PDB file of all heavy atoms in Angstrom:
ATOM      1  N   HIS A  34     -26.173   2.353 -61.674  1.00 95.00           N
ATOM      2  CA  HIS A  34     -26.781   1.200 -61.006  1.00 95.00           C
ATOM      3  C   HIS A  34     -26.083   0.964 -59.668  1.00 95.00           C
ATOM      4  O   HIS A  34     -24.879   1.148 -59.541  1.00 95.00           O
ATOM      5  CB  HIS A  34     -26.618  -0.064 -61.856  1.00 95.00           C
ATOM      6  CG  HIS A  34     -27.516  -0.134 -63.027  1.00 95.00           C
ATOM      7  ND1 HIS A  34     -28.521  -1.075 -63.140  1.00 95.00           N
ATOM      8  CD2 HIS A  34     -27.599   0.622 -64.138  1.00 95.00           C
ATOM      9  CE1 HIS A  34     -29.161  -0.914 -64.277  1.00 95.00           C
ATOM     10  NE2 HIS A  34     -28.619   0.117 -64.903  1.00 95.00           N
ATOM     11  N   TYR A  36     -25.752  -2.251 -56.874  1.00 97.00           N
ATOM     12  CA  TYR A  36     -25.996  -3.620 -56.449  1.00 97.00           C
ATOM     13  C   TYR A  36     -25.336  -3.805 -55.089  1.00 97.00           C
ATOM     14  O   TYR A  36     -24.413  -3.069 -54.738  1.00 97.00           O
ATOM     15  CB  TYR A  36     -25.392  -4.625 -57.437  1.00 97.00           C
ATOM     16  CG  TYR A  36     -26.211  -4.838 -58.681  1.00 97.00           C
ATOM     17  CD1 TYR A  36     -26.255  -3.871 -59.683  1.00 97.00           C
ATOM     18  CD2 TYR A  36     -26.947  -5.999 -58.854  1.00 97.00           C
ATOM     19  CE1 TYR A  36     -27.021  -4.052 -60.816  1.00 97.00           C
ATOM     20  CE2 TYR A  36     -27.715  -6.206 -59.993  1.00 97.00           C
ATOM     21  CZ  TYR A  36     -27.750  -5.226 -60.969  1.00 97.00           C
ATOM     22  OH  TYR A  36     -28.517  -5.418 -62.097  1.00 97.00           O
ATOM     23  N   GLN A  38     -23.917  -7.040 -52.308  1.00 96.00           N
ATOM     24  CA  GLN A  38     -23.616  -8.449 -52.158  1.00 96.00           C
ATOM     25  C   GLN A  38     -23.488  -8.775 -50.678  1.00 96.00           C
ATOM     26  O   GLN A  38     -22.538  -8.333 -50.013  1.00 96.00           O
ATOM     27  CB  GLN A  38     -22.326  -8.815 -52.905  1.00 96.00           C
ATOM     28  CG  GLN A  38     -22.038 -10.297 -52.928  1.00 96.00           C
ATOM     29  CD  GLN A  38     -20.848 -10.642 -53.817  1.00 96.00           C
ATOM     30  OE1 GLN A  38     -20.012  -9.796 -54.116  1.00 96.00           O
ATOM     31  NE2 GLN A  38     -20.773 -11.900 -54.238  1.00 96.00           N
ATOM     32  N   PRO A  44     -24.659 -11.086 -55.926  1.00 95.00           N
ATOM     33  CA  PRO A  44     -25.138  -9.698 -55.837  1.00 95.00           C
ATOM     34  C   PRO A  44     -26.644  -9.615 -56.064  1.00 95.00           C
ATOM     35  O   PRO A  44     -27.243 -10.489 -56.701  1.00 95.00           O
ATOM     36  CB  PRO A  44     -24.376  -9.005 -56.973  1.00 95.00           C
ATOM     37  CG  PRO A  44     -23.187  -9.847 -57.227  1.00 95.00           C
ATOM     38  CD  PRO A  44     -23.646 -11.253 -56.969  1.00 95.00           C
ATOM     39  N   ARG A  91     -23.828   1.645 -66.432  1.00 90.00           N
ATOM     40  CA  ARG A  91     -24.224   0.766 -67.532  1.00 90.00           C
ATOM     41  C   ARG A  91     -24.650   1.604 -68.714  1.00 90.00           C
ATOM     42  O   ARG A  91     -25.576   2.394 -68.631  1.00 90.00           O
ATOM     43  CB  ARG A  91     -25.354  -0.175 -67.128  1.00 90.00           C
ATOM     44  CG  ARG A  91     -25.738  -1.162 -68.242  1.00 90.00           C
ATOM     45  CD  ARG A  91     -26.897  -2.025 -67.837  1.00 90.00           C
ATOM     46  NE  ARG A  91     -28.135  -1.259 -67.736  1.00 90.00           N
ATOM     47  CZ  ARG A  91     -28.906  -0.906 -68.751  1.00 90.00           C
ATOM     48  NH1 ARG A  91     -28.559  -1.235 -69.986  1.00 90.00           N
ATOM     49  NH2 ARG A  91     -30.023  -0.225 -68.544  1.00 90.00           N
ATOM     50  N   GLY A  97     -25.363  -6.194 -74.949  1.00 79.00           N
ATOM     51  CA  GLY A  97     -25.248  -7.182 -73.885  1.00 79.00           C
ATOM     52  C   GLY A  97     -25.762  -6.776 -72.534  1.00 79.00           C
ATOM     53  O   GLY A  97     -25.822  -7.600 -71.623  1.00 79.00           O
ATOM     54  N   ASN A  98     -26.151  -5.492 -72.353  1.00 79.00           N
ATOM     55  CA  ASN A  98     -26.675  -5.080 -71.050  1.00 79.00           C
ATOM     56  C   ASN A  98     -25.714  -5.473 -69.932  1.00 79.00           C
ATOM     57  O   ASN A  98     -26.116  -5.929 -68.866  1.00 79.00           O
ATOM     58  CB  ASN A  98     -28.058  -5.720 -70.822  1.00 79.00           C
ATOM     59  CG  ASN A  98     -28.824  -5.087 -69.700  1.00 79.00           C
ATOM     60  OD1 ASN A  98     -28.660  -3.915 -69.398  1.00 79.00           O
ATOM     61  ND2 ASN A  98     -29.649  -5.876 -69.036  1.00 79.00           N
TER      62      ASN A  98
ATOM     63  N   TYR B  33     -25.371 -14.636 -68.090  1.00 96.00           N
ATOM     64  CA  TYR B  33     -23.986 -14.203 -67.889  1.00 96.00           C
ATOM     65  C   TYR B  33     -23.264 -15.166 -66.948  1.00 96.00           C
ATOM     66  O   TYR B  33     -23.863 -15.735 -66.039  1.00 96.00           O
ATOM     67  CB  TYR B  33     -23.949 -12.804 -67.244  1.00 96.00           C
ATOM     68  CG  TYR B  33     -24.795 -11.762 -67.918  1.00 96.00           C
ATOM     69  CD1 TYR B  33     -26.152 -11.643 -67.646  1.00 96.00           C
ATOM     70  CD2 TYR B  33     -24.228 -10.871 -68.823  1.00 96.00           C
ATOM     71  CE1 TYR B  33     -26.923 -10.667 -68.263  1.00 96.00           C
ATOM     72  CE2 TYR B  33     -24.989  -9.890 -69.445  1.00 96.00           C
ATOM     73  CZ  TYR B  33     -26.334  -9.795 -69.164  1.00 96.00           C
ATOM     74  OH  TYR B  33     -27.100  -8.835 -69.771  1.00 96.00           O
ATOM     75  N   GLN B  37     -15.524 -14.412 -59.295  1.00 97.00           N
ATOM     76  CA  GLN B  37     -15.164 -13.489 -58.227  1.00 97.00           C
ATOM     77  C   GLN B  37     -14.040 -14.089 -57.416  1.00 97.00           C
ATOM     78  O   GLN B  37     -14.160 -15.195 -56.879  1.00 97.00           O
ATOM     79  CB  GLN B  37     -16.357 -13.185 -57.307  1.00 97.00           C
ATOM     80  CG  GLN B  37     -16.036 -12.147 -56.251  1.00 97.00           C
ATOM     81  CD  GLN B  37     -17.260 -11.704 -55.489  1.00 97.00           C
ATOM     82  OE1 GLN B  37     -18.175 -12.477 -55.245  1.00 97.00           O
ATOM     83  NE2 GLN B  37     -17.301 -10.430 -55.113  1.00 97.00           N
ATOM     84  N   TYR B 102     -35.514  -5.340 -67.669  1.00 58.00           N
ATOM     85  CA  TYR B 102     -34.499  -4.985 -68.647  1.00 58.00           C
ATOM     86  C   TYR B 102     -33.255  -4.458 -67.976  1.00 58.00           C
ATOM     87  O   TYR B 102     -32.149  -4.679 -68.419  1.00 58.00           O
ATOM     88  CB  TYR B 102     -35.047  -3.927 -69.607  1.00 58.00           C
ATOM     89  CG  TYR B 102     -34.017  -3.470 -70.613  1.00 58.00           C
ATOM     90  CD1 TYR B 102     -33.629  -4.284 -71.661  1.00 58.00           C
ATOM     91  CD2 TYR B 102     -33.439  -2.219 -70.498  1.00 58.00           C
ATOM     92  CE1 TYR B 102     -32.679  -3.868 -72.576  1.00 58.00           C
ATOM     93  CE2 TYR B 102     -32.491  -1.795 -71.421  1.00 58.00           C
ATOM     94  CZ  TYR B 102     -32.120  -2.620 -72.465  1.00 58.00           C
ATOM     95  OH  TYR B 102     -31.179  -2.206 -73.366  1.00 58.00           O
ATOM     96  N   ASN B 103     -33.420  -3.723 -66.896  1.00 70.00           N
ATOM     97  CA  ASN B 103     -32.278  -3.097 -66.256  1.00 70.00           C
ATOM     98  C   ASN B 103     -31.594  -3.961 -65.214  1.00 70.00           C
ATOM     99  O   ASN B 103     -30.433  -3.803 -64.950  1.00 70.00           O
ATOM    100  CB  ASN B 103     -32.732  -1.795 -65.580  1.00 70.00           C
ATOM    101  CG  ASN B 103     -33.084  -0.737 -66.597  1.00 70.00           C
ATOM    102  OD1 ASN B 103     -32.225  -0.264 -67.304  1.00 70.00           O
ATOM    103  ND2 ASN B 103     -34.356  -0.389 -66.660  1.00 70.00           N
ATOM    104  N   GLN B 105     -30.120  -7.267 -63.322  1.00 90.00           N
ATOM    105  CA  GLN B 105     -29.608  -8.614 -63.463  1.00 90.00           C
ATOM    106  C   GLN B 105     -29.901  -9.364 -62.177  1.00 90.00           C
ATOM    107  O   GLN B 105     -29.767  -8.822 -61.081  1.00 90.00           O
ATOM    108  CB  GLN B 105     -28.103  -8.620 -63.750  1.00 90.00           C
ATOM    109  CG  GLN B 105     -27.755  -8.214 -65.169  1.00 90.00           C
ATOM    110  CD  GLN B 105     -26.292  -8.435 -65.514  1.00 90.00           C
ATOM    111  OE1 GLN B 105     -25.585  -9.189 -64.848  1.00 90.00           O
ATOM    112  NE2 GLN B 105     -25.840  -7.778 -66.584  1.00 90.00           N
ATOM    113  N   PHE B 107     -28.904 -12.700 -59.917  1.00 95.00           N
ATOM    114  CA  PHE B 107     -27.740 -13.559 -59.745  1.00 95.00           C
ATOM    115  C   PHE B 107     -28.106 -14.865 -59.047  1.00 95.00           C
ATOM    116  O   PHE B 107     -28.961 -14.900 -58.169  1.00 95.00           O
ATOM    117  CB  PHE B 107     -26.665 -12.837 -58.941  1.00 95.00           C
ATOM    118  CG  PHE B 107     -25.947 -11.780 -59.727  1.00 95.00           C
ATOM    119  CD1 PHE B 107     -26.521 -10.538 -59.923  1.00 95.00           C
ATOM    120  CD2 PHE B 107     -24.706 -12.048 -60.295  1.00 95.00           C
ATOM    121  CE1 PHE B 107     -25.869  -9.568 -60.673  1.00 95.00           C
ATOM    122  CE2 PHE B 107     -24.052 -11.085 -61.045  1.00 95.00           C
ATOM    123  CZ  PHE B 107     -24.634  -9.841 -61.231  1.00 95.00           C
TER     124      PHE B 107
END
Side-chain angles (χ1 to χ4, degrees):
Chain A
H34 285 246
Y36 281 74
Q38 187 173 21
R91 183 183 69 80
N98 195 29
Chain B
Y33 309 84
Q37 184 171 34
Y102 177 73
N103 290 293
Q105 285 189 19
F107 286 80

